[in-house]
Amino acid sequence: MVAGQPIGTMIGSRMINNAQAGFIIGAVIMLAFGFVALAIWPREESSKDMERTKMTLKDLAVSFHFPKFSTSRDFYKAFGCRVCMLLSYQMISVYQLYIVEDYVHQTKTEAAGTIATMSIITMVVSLTVSLTASLISGPISDKMHTRARY
């Protein structure tokens, strides 16, 4: 996601004046990477010899429950932080064209160039911050023994 969204934004900004070609290119890229994922994804063992149990509607409903807050406090902290982070990132990303056009007063073509540049900067900064945060927070989590246990 850190690399894919900025790259997609950059490609999309280059197609600002030809949306139909942009949608076609996007569809072709998604189709191609779908086949790449199928080719490199590890194969699972066959399940034909596994024991089968009948699943009831109640079993299905129970499988969708959230964990108890008292036993999964760290899960809810991480979930809340992740939702807020992704929501804020998506809001900026989705409205970026309108922000640059309306508040920076650029034309659509100029705004597309600005957005392409910003997407490259976003990707580099996001990758750097993600790697740095992982290298710092991993040892801290190990010392605090707060890592999720599944």
Side-chain angles (χ1 to χ4, degrees):
M1 187 183 105
V2 172
Q5 186 162 357
I7 291 171
T9 302
M10 186 176 62
I11 292 170
S13 68
R14 297 292 178 204
M15 301 292 167
I16 194 86
N17 293 320
N18 191 357
Q20 186 175 10
F23 281 115
I24 292 169
I25 290 171
V28 169
I29 289 172
M30 284 189 277
L31 182 67
F33 277 102
F35 286 118
V36 169
L38 284 173
I40 65 174
W41 201 266
R43 303 285 185 250
E44 294 181 5
E45 293 181 27
S46 176
S47 62
K48 68 180 181 178
D49 297 329
M50 293 176 64
E51 182 181 332
R52 296 180 187 193
T53 58
K54 186 173 180 173
M55 179 178 262
T56 65
L57 190 57
K58 181 182 176 186
D59 295 333
L60 181 65
V62 168
S63 70
F64 282 100
H65 80 284
F66 281 96
K68 293 181 182 178
F69 183 78
S70 60
T71 59
S72 304
R73 191 166 173 240
D74 291 341
F75 166 79
Y76 285 104
K77 283 183 192 176
F79 180 76
C81 290
R82 183 84 174 162
V83 165
C84 290
M85 183 189 72
L86 289 175
L87 183 64
S88 62
Y89 184 76
Q90 291 299 324
M91 286 173 59
I92 292 170
S93 179
V94 167
Y95 292 108
Q96 204 170 25
L97 178 63
Y98 304 114
I99 292 169
V100 174
E101 283 182 340
D102 294 342
Y103 294 101
V104 183
H105 305 293
Q106 291 186 346
T107 65
K108 187 188 286 188
T109 307
E110 291 171 336
T114 300
I115 291 170
T117 303
M118 289 171 56
S119 69
I120 293 170
I121 294 168
T122 300
M123 182 175 59
V124 170
V125 170
S126 296
L127 287 171
T128 304
V129 168
S130 296
L131 290 174
T132 304
S134 297
L135 292 173
I136 293 171
S137 64
I140 292 171
S141 174
D142 290 343
K143 287 181 183 178
M144 294 175 63
H145 303 288
T146 57
R147 193 170 351 145
R149 293 163 196 83
Y150 297 106

